Amino acid sequence: MYPFSFTKVSNTRDALNAGRRGGRYIAGGTTLVDLMRETVERPGTLVDISDLPLHGITVTERGSLRIGSLVTMTEAAADTRVRTIFPVISQALELSASAQLRNMATIGGNIMQRTRCTYFRDVTAACNKREPGSGCAALEGVNRSHAILSASDDCVATHPSDAAVAFAALDASVHLLGPDGQRKVPFSDFLLRPGSTPNREQALRRDELITAVEIPAHPRPLKSGYLKVGDRQSYEFALTSAAVALHVRGGVIREAKVAAGGVGTVPWKLPAVERHLIGERPSDTLWAAAAEQAADGARPLEHNRFKVELLKRTVERQLRIVGGSR
Ligand code: SF4
């Protein structure tokens, strides 16, 4: 470790002031403290925001679900409204990390967590995300766990959050508070693709706070679920994953929400799969045909070609689990 200062705030005004002066927000600390130990991150000032009033889960008048950014992963996964309305979120959270980490980590921190690319965490390796312009060791190195979709010539790291895949599938938004007031950013615009600036990961200004994640109301009944495929069943990041939500009425799929994890530099929405499903009757044949389009546009690397087929099978299997086998 190295010297840094630490301050705790109890209201959003003080938090924003501290952020404007260059302080880094910390709550659960499950990502940032690790990275500080490894000297990957070296913030001069930590601002503890865990006392801010951002701990609630509410259902709004419009029927959307709003999860405060300081709600822990455990609290969100166990909440009856989350479990009932959007089981895909509960399942994604419960399949993440360990029980101890889920007790500490917050929803805001979860979507802000940084990549598990081993070269990013090795300060002796070239990494454009950690040190812009230094190169990308993963391109010629071991890239089995890296992205096959939305990568650039400068970075091929995947986003590690499972919950973010569920949020992306459900077209969630992120609520932000800054000196100029509040704003709401669609989840698909909040996490940034690497392009030529992989060090910029979120559409979040330095002095802004995440206050909540909001999932819009969807027609009911909505059946949903999350499937994660990894090298181990627990405490492992996804090689592939699929978040699926389906609204079926009169025997026809009226709404389909599908996203994949472990394959993109950001949670990867699958609009071609969604379009293939809408207006059709559920069947095993349909699930297989829709999933064929899950890896459209994939550009695999030397060690992760297996992800193309694995992604299709993961999506097909989760469509069958949520939509039924027939
Ligand atoms: Fe760094 Fe991204 Fe390359 Fe990993 S993939 S070494 S995070 S630039």
Side-chain angles (χ1 to χ4, degrees), residues 126-142:
C127 174
N128 290 321
K129 191 182 280 297
R130 175 172 30 75
E131 195 180 330
S134 64
C136 172
L139 287 173
E140 301 299 326
V142 179

Side-chain angles (χ1 to χ4, degrees), residues 115 117 119-120 126-130 135-138 146 154-157 198:
T115 182
C117 172
Y119 302 107
F120 171 71
C127 174
N128 290 321
K129 191 182 280 297
R130 175 172 30 75
C136 172
H146 289 72
D154 291 309
C155 182
V156 290

Side-chain angles (χ1 to χ4, degrees), residues 39-268:
T39 67
V40 174
E41 296 229 37
R42 300 172 69 100
T45 302
L46 291 184
V47 183
D48 183 349
I49 57 170
S50 52
D51 280 351
L52 297 186
L54 305 171
H55 291 267
I57 299 177
T58 51
V59 176
T60 69
E61 279 178 11
R62 297 186 309 279
S64 62
L65 183 77
R66 193 177 159 128
I67 306 176
S69 58
L70 293 176
V71 172
T72 66
M73 292 171 70
T74 298
E75 290 166 342
D79 185 89
T80 309
R81 292 156 296 182
V82 178
R83 295 187 85 82
T84 308
I85 305 172
F86 298 118
V88 62
I89 297 174
S90 294
Q91 292 171 18
L93 288 166
E94 287 171 343
L95 288 169
S96 306
S98 64
Q100 291 90 339
L101 286 169
R102 294 195 296 271
N103 288 340
M104 293 285 293
T106 62
I107 292 297
N110 182 282
I111 61 174
M112 289 287 290
Q113 66 182 297
R114 307 201 69 188
T115 182
R116 259 55 190 182
C117 172
T118 49
Y119 302 107
F120 171 71
R121 285 162 183 259
D122 174 359
V123 293
T124 66
C127 174
N128 290 321
K129 191 182 280 297
R130 175 172 30 75
E131 195 180 330
S134 64
C136 172
L139 287 173
E140 301 299 326
V142 179
N143 44 43
R144 179 174 180 271
S145 64
H146 289 72
I148 58 172
L149 290 156
S150 68
S152 74
D153 291 341
D154 291 309
C155 182
V156 290
T158 52
H159 192 273
S161 166
D162 293 296
V165 181
F167 293 145
L170 295 168
D171 301 321
S173 299
V174 183
H175 287 255
L176 304 173
L177 177 67
D180 301 329
Q182 303 189 35
R183 66 185 181 116
K184 184 173 161 183
V185 181
F187 204 82
S188 52
D189 296 336
F190 180 72
L191 296 175
L192 305 178
R193 297 188 197 188
S196 59
T197 54
N199 53 310
R200 274 206 74 219
E201 295 174 326
Q202 301 91 14
L204 181 74
R205 293 194 281 266
R206 189 185 179 117
D207 51 2
E208 282 184 317
L209 268 172
I210 301 173
T211 56
V213 174
E214 182 174 354
I215 302 98
H218 290 274
R220 310 243 192 123
L222 189 77
K223 290 183 74 179
S224 71
Y226 185 74
L227 177 66
K228 180 173 179 175
V229 178
D231 288 327
R232 289 184 313 222
Q233 275 203 321
S234 68
Y235 202 48
E236 184 60 281
F237 294 96
L239 286 170
T240 59
S241 70
V244 169
L246 300 174
H247 169 59
V248 180
R249 200 177 64 246
V252 174
I253 300 168
R254 310 287 174 168
E255 184 165 311
K257 300 289 174 189
V258 187
V263 289
T265 56
V266 292
W268 198 243

